Amino acid sequence: MNFDFSDDQKLLRENVRSFLAKEAPLTLCRQVLETDGKYSTTLWQAVAAQGWLGTAIPEKYGGAGFGRLELAVIAEELGRVLAPIPFGSSVYLASEALLVAGTEEQKQRYLPRLSTGEAIGTLAHFEGAGDPGNRSLKSTVRNGKLSGEKTPVPDGEIADFALVTAKSGRDFGLAIVDLHTREVQREHLDSLDPSRSVAALRFERAPVEWLGGRPCGWDTLQHIFDRAAVLYAFEQLGGAQRAFEITREYTLNRYAFGRPIASFQALKHRLADWYVELELTRSNCYYGAWALSHEAPELAVAACGARVSATNTFELASKEMIQMHGGMGFTWEHDAHLFYRRARYLAAVLGPAPVWRERLVTCLERREEAS
Amino acid sequence: MNFDFSDDQKLLRENVRSFLAKEAPLTLCRQVLETDGKYSTTLWQAVAAQGWLGTAIPEKYGGAGFGRLELAVIAEELGRVLAPIPFGSSVYLASEALLVAGTEEQKQRYLPRLSTGEAIGTLAHFEGAGDPGNRSLKSTVRNGKLSGEKTPVPDGEIADFALVTAKSGRDFGLAIVDLHTREVQREHLDSLDPSRSVAALRFERAPVEWLGGRPCGWDTLQHIFDRAAVLYAFEQLGGAQRAFEITREYTLNRYAFGRPIASFQALKHRLADWYVELELTRSNCYYGAWALSHEAPELAVAACGARVSATNTFELASKEMIQMHGGMGFTWEHDAHLFYRRARYLAAVLGPAPVWRERLVTCLERREEAS
Amino acid sequence: MDFNDTPEEAAFRAEARAWLEANAEPLAPGEQPASLEGRFDPEMVRKAQEWQRKKADAGWACITWPKEYGGRGATPIQAVIWSQEEARFKTPPNIFAIGQGMLGPTIMVHGTEEQKRRYLPPMLRGDEIWCQLFSEPAAGSDLAGLRTTAVRDGDDWIINGQKIWTTGAHYSKWGMIVTRTDPNAEKHRGITYFIVDMQSPGIEIRPIKQMNGMSSFNEVFFTDVRVPDRNRIGDVNDGWRCALTTLMNERHAIGGGAGGPEFRDLFRLARTVLWNGKPAIQDAGVRQRLADFYVRAKGLQYTSYRVQTALSRGQTPGPESSIGKLVGAPLRQNMAAFALDLEGAAAALLDRKAPEGALWQLAYLGSPGLRLAGGTDEILRNIIAERVLGLPPEIRVDKGIPFKDVPTGPRP
Amino acid sequence: MDFNDTPEEAAFRAEARAWLEANAEPLAPGEQPASLEGRFDPEMVRKAQEWQRKKADAGWACITWPKEYGGRGATPIQAVIWSQEEARFKTPPNIFAIGQGMLGPTIMVHGTEEQKRRYLPPMLRGDEIWCQLFSEPAAGSDLAGLRTTAVRDGDDWIINGQKIWTTGAHYSKWGMIVTRTDPNAEKHRGITYFIVDMQSPGIEIRPIKQMNGMSSFNEVFFTDVRVPDRNRIGDVNDGWRCALTTLMNERHAIGGGAGGPEFRDLFRLARTVLWNGKPAIQDAGVRQRLADFYVRAKGLQYTSYRVQTALSRGQTPGPESSIGKLVGAPLRQNMAAFALDLEGAAAALLDRKAPEGALWQLAYLGSPGLRLAGGTDEILRNIIAERVLGLPPEIRVDKGIPFKDVPTGPRP
């Protein structure tokens, strides 16, 4: 039984953590959030310089050639510091999608620039409130031109290109779009978590090519989302864990009625329950990481499990963080709301949480029927 | 604003409570439960002698001619003592169904005997696990003869007649069946709550007549269930309230670590939350009682609300009662399991709880569309 | 059982409505009443004062107060009816609630006759606005842990320290402040209660920015602020008893988070937002959640009917009146979380383009405050457990020793 | 990251499996292992002892124990592998777990050399069965509140009192008992630990009937029961320290409620039970609940993989090993409640005709016990909070005073 990260991966974690402790204190997240700066270019460059953007990209495309376990380690650490950079959009979504479904030529064209951070990529799927299923998606490609509107697009304002979900007749695929062309209009949207930027993208007959050379089908999108879900789950886990640590510390040092407030069972037992949720989530995330790194057939179930668990736990954590800090936790000056906002942003970025639960059961049914 | 019982009704409650304190201690429930006695005939006769069976039956049919508010008062008190009698089957279901949908002749035939307790009635709808919808019901009436199997039927072993849901071609109705005829086979089934008896009934071409003279339609069944749901909700409320009172008392008198266990926030705050649930449920029950007694168009929504609320709260109460009593609460000798069993019995008796939630939203949608 | 007024109540309601119709404009259907939250401008204060004076002149201000201070000695149910009726009209936000709801009643119980005559009538008319100076950074739930000091100096007292969570400090004429006057006494015994002129030298007011970007509260710093002894309420070192009167009235003043979205808004969202081309409400899982929210929201509403019924019958409402905020605030937060689940990716927008103009995003960001202000969830559970259910009080390690010896942090 | 054995582990597993295949019959697919719950008959005890002796002869009993007492000095991960393999075979219920898992380790730490030689080998072989006499009616979660007394009488001690929740008292040869030997000392200081012969005169054993109708436990009454001083474990009045060793091992002995239905059973039920003619699993609300149960159940399973990984690496498992029962027991109860919801009216049947032979009814009736036995949910939260998270201990009013003065009930 070897269900844990290796010593090398743990060493990586230590290095990443101490690097981020210096380069990405929570004040950096706050700074982006308060100045509406879209993202921290200094942190982005620092992260790029560390080679983290290309962690899971093979060396022949300019990456470091590590695996998804290393990427998961980095994701958890970025989650802990609420890193205000487009790492998820560019790495978990765009780079992974290219690796999974891109043509050789597309990989050669995009991956080297993604690994160095020269280019930022994203994936544009949602079309307003709710969840656009295969049936109701409105964006279309005709004769190699994309028309439609996507909102919200994570980092849509700062990305250089996007993979855009679209129909073409009865087919479905991901269209690669250069966002610097005239046929693309970008509109800034205010984000619930202004340390993470979102935008509306409008395409009017924008020239595209299909990811993979032809419409890849809905299942490929699901697979791309599953992969991203595992990595986002590690970010969520990291955020929830950090919120817990800050709160635990506070309840030990904040005195009321002559006692540390952590000594009141009302908080003490909830901290114990919170810890339990963190451990269960960590285990589900590990399973997701295993499935992702082994390209296992269990990936879909594992990814849904990690996402549901991590989304629940980060929401719980961010609520409890404020509540246990009392009035101070509700102020702008306190960091609690950074976690509260980020938890919601990460819950939203891959679509409605109930849809992930629904899909988990669908996967279980398929497995059952196959067996 | 007059959203409470009247002084007369409160006086009735006091009288019922002190009567039941003498006639129906929890030992009576236990006695039926341990001896598998189906029900307490002595309590049944005592309750009949008080006239409670005919509370809401007009005087011309031998009843007391009070309203449903008085019946709700009695239901809550019967719930408090976990009364081991077929009150619900015979009064909330059979008598109310006859009043709502019976022909004049049927009322005259059955209601007087139901008011005196000479006859016990019940309603047989379920056909095994799950929920038989209008679409999937299997029991059928052909040429005035009923065939099919109903299980579990509350008090099916002791009832004299049953209203049996059945299809007749495309129609749906409630068939009145004399359970003493040869064409009816009754089988005792072990109950999760042996203080309340359940049975399987098999009909082989049993002679029937339709309640109301002809198939009454599915909506009438829903209406009958709604009415019963309000009254059962008061039983559930009474049970939950009594469990709370016993538990509160215990936590004040049980000492651990030199303190009453009620002084530990782990229990103290859960008792506060439990109290809150009781109050919310009481309010939802009152609204149900208002709608029932006024034959208000809001009845369906109000009944679903009362049922969902009361079912949740009695389940919570019966779980917490055991947990807060510690090991003693898990013993046979302690009364906690009587509440735990009754809570489940009452949750089951009108079909799956999620189906009631589903129906509540359906009613809200209809109301919205009507407005 | 019905929802009707008694004949007397109906008559009173008609009278109230008639006056309101003659003097105010009704809210349009769906229009939200003015909210206390947000920035205050002097113009809004002026309008609020104008409306208050109009009511006072007609005998509709603080109607439960005795006639001698400008009220009409109305019954509690009449107060409920009045506020129900007033809520149907377009009125300025109520910036007088803290004074009229909490501080006025405290002066009535503990003030001298002279204080009552001096302060109550202008409070009622809205000529003088009041704020409450209780909480401190290190004394929130544990209010009696306050450290702001008042030291006697001749006929005056000198106040030093910091208060927090003070609503309306910047437009208030008067503040009611609790101070520590004897650190050698037991915690609850060395506290004294004063009325302080908010324009006194040495007072600095700084607005607090909340996590939702609003500023409903202030920090107030006191540096050698001088208060005459005649502004003292109650005896020296007996201020805790007076403060309890204020706190007892707080529950009435702070509601279950009025304003903001409700169940019907959630229901509408579920009917309009599309999942794979179909309204989300067609999803049975969404329906299960909606049912539970509905039952909870209605349970709360019907509970308030029970409270009103008691008032209508001239009875004191039962303990059910204490559950409002404890149920309502988390319910708001949970409904908001679910609404954002329904919105999917668009939940990330705090933008005019967000569904329903970001109604639920704002509720999600605002609701944590409801669970904290005016008593945290945890304090409310303790209050219900102890006062309603008669469960034992917390074990106190801060009693029986001088206040200055009560631990305030980990030992170094 | 993988789920494979190391080469050494694989070799050990193969060895264990080979012996088991030669000496036992594998469980059929879906067959449940024998449960400890239910009535014991002497025949079952005999079979359990036979199996234990067979294992002992081959070196497969208590494999982590030192060789000198009959073990093989195996590593913790080997113990895990052994029990995984043994669980695949049809074996009698393990009636030796309390002795071998909790009491033996206590004797190893606190016993004299003579005691170890006398008691451990027959405990390992199953020749002598042991029971634990700790809890009392008034000392459950507060175990140190025990009142059973032991009074010195020459070379013996005389024991009087009552113990409760004693598994296997009626077929045990020995019991380990904690007694109060100095009521004037502080609560934790006047306790002494003994080995008592369960056939001694003055011991009366009464089975306790549980709410689910089973009898897994007993009450044991002691009336002037004589125990020789050589049966004392540890020093006089130092028994609490020894008892803590026993309790530390309890977590290992009591699992997260093995046996009984699991997620896959709930999944099957949802696929088979019909709502209005369609499998309930087609209802999206059912699916939402299933997803949450799945994630929780799997979270627990994967957490146990993490614990095994630590053992496999020769490390001490982290605190995640302590969450099993706290998660597993309520999960079982909640899954059972939901299963009964799915069954609808048929949930009321505790009958062979109930769905799945009343599998979920039995689970619903049994699961409250899981939340209480071996540490209540509340005690487990305290343990996690204090030992894992380093949060402050409870404020104690029962310390620093003689045991006899500790309040045990409301003042009259």
Side-chain angles (χ1 to χ4, degrees), chain A residues 126 130-131 133 135-136 152 187 189-190 192 253-255 257 259 270 319 323 327 330 332 337 340-341 344 348 352, chain C residues 137 142 165 209-211 274 276-277 333-334 337 341 343 345 348 350-351 353 364 368-369 378 397-398 409-410:
Chain A
F126 298 101
D131 194 47
R135 201 162 59 195
S136 64
E187 182 189 358
L189 296 175
D190 286 335
L192 181 69
N253 288 295
R254 169 80 177 185
Y255 273 53
F257 305 99
R259 303 160 51 175
R270 269 157 55 199
K319 283 178 175 171
Q323 185 67 18
F330 187 61
W332 185 268
H337 73 103
Y340 194 70
R341 291 168 188 272
R344 259 299 142 189
Chain C
D142 178 16
W165 311 126
K209 189 172 175 188
Q210 296 156 204
M211 60 171 272
L274 300 181
N276 198 16
Q333 188 176 35
N334 293 335
D341 277 354
E343 294 182 7
L350 190 66
D351 195 278
K353 289 217 165 175
Y364 194 67
E378 292 74 20
V397 299
D398 57 350

Side-chain angles (χ1 to χ4, degrees), chain C residues 140-176:
Chain C
S141 289
D142 178 16
L143 198 56
L146 61 94
R147 300 181 205 172
T148 294
T149 57
V151 176
R152 185 96 195 207
D153 180 44
D155 279 348
D156 292 344
W157 294 80
I158 313 292
I159 297 180
N160 279 285
Q162 180 189 352
K163 294 291 179 179
I164 197 169
W165 311 126
T166 308
T167 303
H170 50 296
Y171 55 77
S172 286
K173 163 68 180 163
W174 299 108
M176 299 259 280

Side-chain angles (χ1 to χ4, degrees), chain B residues 8-17 70 73-74:
Chain B
D8 281 354
Q9 288 153 356
K10 287 179 179 173
L11 189 63
L12 172 67
R13 171 182 301 166
E14 273 175 47
N15 292 338
V16 174
R17 188 171 299 186
E70 286 75 15
V73 165
I74 292 170

Side-chain angles (χ1 to χ4, degrees), chain A residues 75-82 232-248 271 274-275 277-279 281-282 285 309-321 338-340 342-343 346:
Chain A
E76 184 179 343
E77 297 306 313
L78 292 171
R80 283 180 64 89
V81 301
L82 307 177
Y232 275 120
F234 274 89
E235 280 206 11
Q236 293 169 309
L237 172 65
Q241 177 75 37
R242 182 80 178 282
F244 176 79
E245 290 167 16
I246 293 171
T247 307
R248 174 186 163 279
L271 283 161
W274 184 355
Y275 168 79
E277 296 307 318
L278 287 169
E279 290 305 318
T281 299
R282 178 170 296 282
C285 285
S309 189
T311 303
N312 286 348
T313 298
F314 200 8
E315 177 176 321
L316 170 86
S318 69
K319 283 178 175 171
E320 285 288 49
M321 185 182 195
L338 307 183
F339 289 84
Y340 194 70
R342 181 61 63 89
L346 291 176

Side-chain angles (χ1 to χ4, degrees), chain D residues 9-275:
Chain D
E9 288 163 8
F12 179 82
R13 191 184 295 279
E15 186 190 346
R17 192 176 297 181
W19 187 85
L20 283 161
E21 278 167 357
N23 290 279
E25 200 182 327
L27 285 171
E31 187 180 1
Q32 291 287 314
S35 159
L36 245 174
E37 210 160 60
R39 268 168 308 171
F40 274 91
D41 59 74
E43 178 59 14
M44 198 192 291
V45 172
R46 198 190 57 72
K47 279 192 180 156
Q49 288 182 309
E50 195 178 304
W51 174 241
Q52 188 65 23
R53 263 173 231 136
K54 204 173 197 175
K55 290 197 289 181
D57 288 341
W60 290 110
C62 303
I63 62 172
T64 58
W65 285 21
K67 286 189 185 152
E68 53 188 310
Y69 304 124
R72 56 160 72 192
T75 63
I77 188 67
Q78 287 176 330
V80 168
I81 291 169
W82 167 259
S83 59
Q84 286 171 344
E85 292 302 316
E86 191 180 10
R88 299 152 46 101
F89 290 82
K90 222 176 262 185
T91 56
N94 183 356
I95 58 178
F96 313 104
I98 289 171
Q100 296 172 351
M102 299 163 65
L103 308 180
T106 306
I107 292 174
M108 278 186 231
V109 174
H110 300 284
T112 63
E113 196 45 45
E114 195 190 332
Q115 287 169 335
K116 294 182 204 172
R117 278 200 307 269
R118 163 65 188 85
Y119 295 115
L120 295 178
M123 179 189 282
L124 175 140
R125 292 185 60 80
D127 292 339
E128 294 176 350
I129 309 175
W130 289 66
C131 64
Q132 179 199 10
L133 300 153
F134 274 34
S135 300
E136 298 181 6
S141 290
D142 178 16
L143 198 54
L146 62 95
R147 300 181 205 172
T148 294
T149 57
V151 177
R152 185 95 194 209
D153 181 42
D155 280 349
D156 292 345
W157 294 79
I158 313 292
I159 297 179
N160 278 286
Q162 180 190 352
K163 294 290 179 179
I164 197 169
W165 311 124
T166 308
T167 303
H170 50 298
Y171 55 77
S172 287
K173 164 66 180 163
W174 300 108
M176 299 260 280
I177 187 169
V178 278
T179 61
R180 177 132 338 253
T181 40
D182 184 358
N184 293 306
E186 250 197 14
K187 189 168 172 173
H188 295 81
R189 297 211 176 128
I191 290 172
T192 306
Y193 201 145
F194 295 99
I195 294 171
V196 54
D197 185 332
M198 293 302 288
Q199 278 72 48
S200 309
I203 293 184
E204 191 197 341
I205 297 167
R206 291 185 206 155
I208 298 171
K209 189 172 175 188
Q210 296 156 202
M211 60 172 271
N212 61 353
M214 305 285 190
S215 289
S216 309
F217 305 105
N218 299 279
E219 293 179 288
V220 185
F221 297 83
F222 292 81
T223 312
D224 293 332
V225 175
R226 200 164 272 272
V227 177
D229 187 58
R230 67 169 183 277
N231 281 16
R232 177 166 43 76
I233 303 279
D235 290 337
V236 174
N237 293 334
D238 194 32
W240 184 247
R241 211 164 56 86
C242 311
L244 284 181
T245 303
T246 311
L247 295 173
M248 297 265 280
N249 282 284
E250 183 166 21
R251 277 193 289 170
H252 297 290
I254 297 190
E262 296 177 4
F263 177 81
R264 62 167 163 265
D265 301 295
L266 183 62
F267 190 63
R268 186 181 60 244
L269 179 70
R271 287 164 59 89
T272 49
V273 75
L274 300 182
W275 285 2

Side-chain angles (χ1 to χ4, degrees), chain B residues 131 133 190 192 257 330 340-341, chain D residues 142 209 211 276 348 351 364:
Chain B
D131 194 46
D190 287 334
L192 182 70
F257 306 100
F330 187 59
Y340 194 70
R341 291 168 189 272
Chain D
D142 178 16
K209 189 172 175 188
M211 60 172 271
N276 197 17
D351 194 281
Y364 193 67

Side-chain angles (χ1 to χ4, degrees), chain B residues 165-180:
Chain B
T165 57
K167 304 292 282 277
S168 176
R170 293 187 147 194
D171 292 332
F172 168 87
L174 285 153
I176 309 181
V177 190
D178 179 349
L179 298 182
H180 298 295

